Amino acid sequence: MNSDILILGGTGSIGYAFTMELVAQKIPVTLLVRDIHKAQQIFDQTPLIEFVEGDVQNGALLKTLAQDKKVIFHGINYSYEAWKGNMQQATQNVIEAASLNKAQIIFPGNIYNYGLIQTPIMEESPENPCAVKGQIRVELEAMMRTAAQNNLCKLLIVRLPDFWGPNVMNEGVRPIFANALKGKPMRWLCNMDIPHQTVYTPDAAKIMVELMKIKQVEEVSVYNYGGQVHASMRTLFAKIAEQAGQSAKYQLMSKWMINLLAIFIPVLKEIKEMTYLYENTVVLNDDKLRRLFPEFKETPLEEAIKTALSWKGYQS
């Protein structure tokens, strides 16, 4: 199998969706994974996926894999407390690997770069992070932008808000769907009665694959994809519970509770600085993308929820 695409972070939320969209379009891919057995359990058997066991921190291995690749999908992520250092080194390794063949790096961005911004985020909006993780995201993108501007690679950033869908197993999303199926309370942070923007990962993957297919002329291309703005997370949770055949139950974790528990729980210490995103509505403007793909439509919400609820990782 000859693959032009190397996927890093393929067993994660966005990487999984991106891989599945490519496979659905009969496009072969190479996945670098830390645990082949785990990866094979996540993905269905298909000759279109080549698994290679290893770590993105192994720069020599990454260069070996990338020598003939035209695209490198940088979906690497670590737990919040492990971001510092690991994310920068992983990104540097990706840049060096991409430079061998002047490959296109596809990077799923987020809204952390902009801090508490009151107006919709445009592709050219000034970055103003108000949290350490936002500062790190700005740093990572700056590293890749510099490499692209120095003609070492191409860079495509697709910026996304919160996401959900099959194989989204982080502790912010997994309990929502797993608890809905069991009739248990669905958890959210700070305020569930204000508008909140989310994307369904298979929709984001379709967008990224279509953008990948366009010959990139500029060294750096940036697109926002905002998905849908829900009137509130309470209304979205009610729809999830309905599709699960359960009554909607909610659990709101207040800011003071997060601050208290953060003393004892490391991940909450990291989440504490991100609560501004749950106390306020921060949205991406994706008019640029929708002008490019005027026929694109999101998966109907009811269908998307049903598919997400059927994910095997939520059943146990």
Side-chain angles (χ1 to χ4, degrees), residues 99-306:
S99 68
L100 297 176
N101 201 31
K102 293 188 178 179
Q104 179 190 53
I105 299 173
I106 300 179
F107 186 67
N110 62 27
I111 60 176
Y112 296 3
N113 306 47
Y114 301 95
L116 181 53
I117 184 170
Q118 303 295 330
T119 56
I121 298 167
M122 312 296 289
E123 283 80 1
E124 64 276 8
S125 291
E127 296 175 319
N128 186 31
C130 62
V132 172
K133 282 170 279 296
Q135 294 167 359
I136 291 174
R137 297 294 291 200
V138 170
E139 180 182 349
L140 301 180
E141 291 187 16
M143 291 169 64
M144 292 183 285
R145 283 176 185 271
T146 299
Q149 289 162 356
N150 288 335
N151 200 33
L152 298 177
C153 59
K154 297 285 190 181
L155 174 61
L156 170 62
I157 298 173
V158 184
R159 205 171 298 289
L160 308 168
D162 280 346
F163 47 77
W164 59 278
N167 197 44
V168 180
M169 296 294 285
N170 66 65
E171 284 305 306
V173 174
R174 184 194 60 80
I176 294 171
F177 289 89
N179 287 1
L181 288 164
K182 298 171 185 175
K184 293 182 177 180
M186 295 169 282
R187 187 178 65 217
W188 195 245
L189 305 179
C190 299
N191 190 342
M192 61 191 319
D193 293 306
I194 57 175
H196 195 83
Q197 189 178 44
T198 71
V199 296
Y200 178 56
T201 49
D203 290 339
K206 287 184 175 67
I207 288 294
M208 288 188 288
V209 170
E210 293 311 305
L211 286 169
M212 180 194 75
K213 291 178 179 179
I214 299 172
K215 181 175 175 57
Q216 185 173 335
V217 177
E218 306 90 348
E219 290 83 3
V220 180
S221 294
V222 181
Y223 290 89
N224 295 338
Y225 174 51
Q228 297 176 316
V229 177
H230 305 282
S232 72
M233 292 306 287
R234 190 182 299 275
T235 59
L236 177 59
F237 284 8
K239 293 174 183 176
I240 293 171
E242 180 183 6
Q243 292 300 321
Q246 302 285 351
S247 299
K249 298 176 183 176
Y250 312 100
Q251 180 184 33
L252 187 67
M253 185 174 287
S254 65
K255 188 171 182 178
W256 73 262
M257 185 182 299
I258 294 169
N259 292 338
L260 176 63
L261 294 177
I263 300 171
F264 311 101
I265 304 173
V267 69
L268 286 180
K269 182 179 178 181
E270 300 296 328
I271 289 173
K272 184 170 69 170
E273 71 167 9
M274 307 305 297
T275 53
Y276 73 94
L277 291 172
Y278 301 93
E279 296 175 299
N280 303 276
T281 299
V282 178
V283 299
L284 289 165
N285 177 294
D286 59 9
D287 289 350
K288 175 183 174 182
L289 184 74
R290 294 184 187 274
R291 287 193 298 269
L292 183 63
F293 300 126
E295 302 302 316
F296 175 77
K297 297 289 189 298
E298 276 81 25
T299 304
L301 186 58
E302 180 178 315
E303 177 185 336
I305 291 172
K306 285 181 178 178

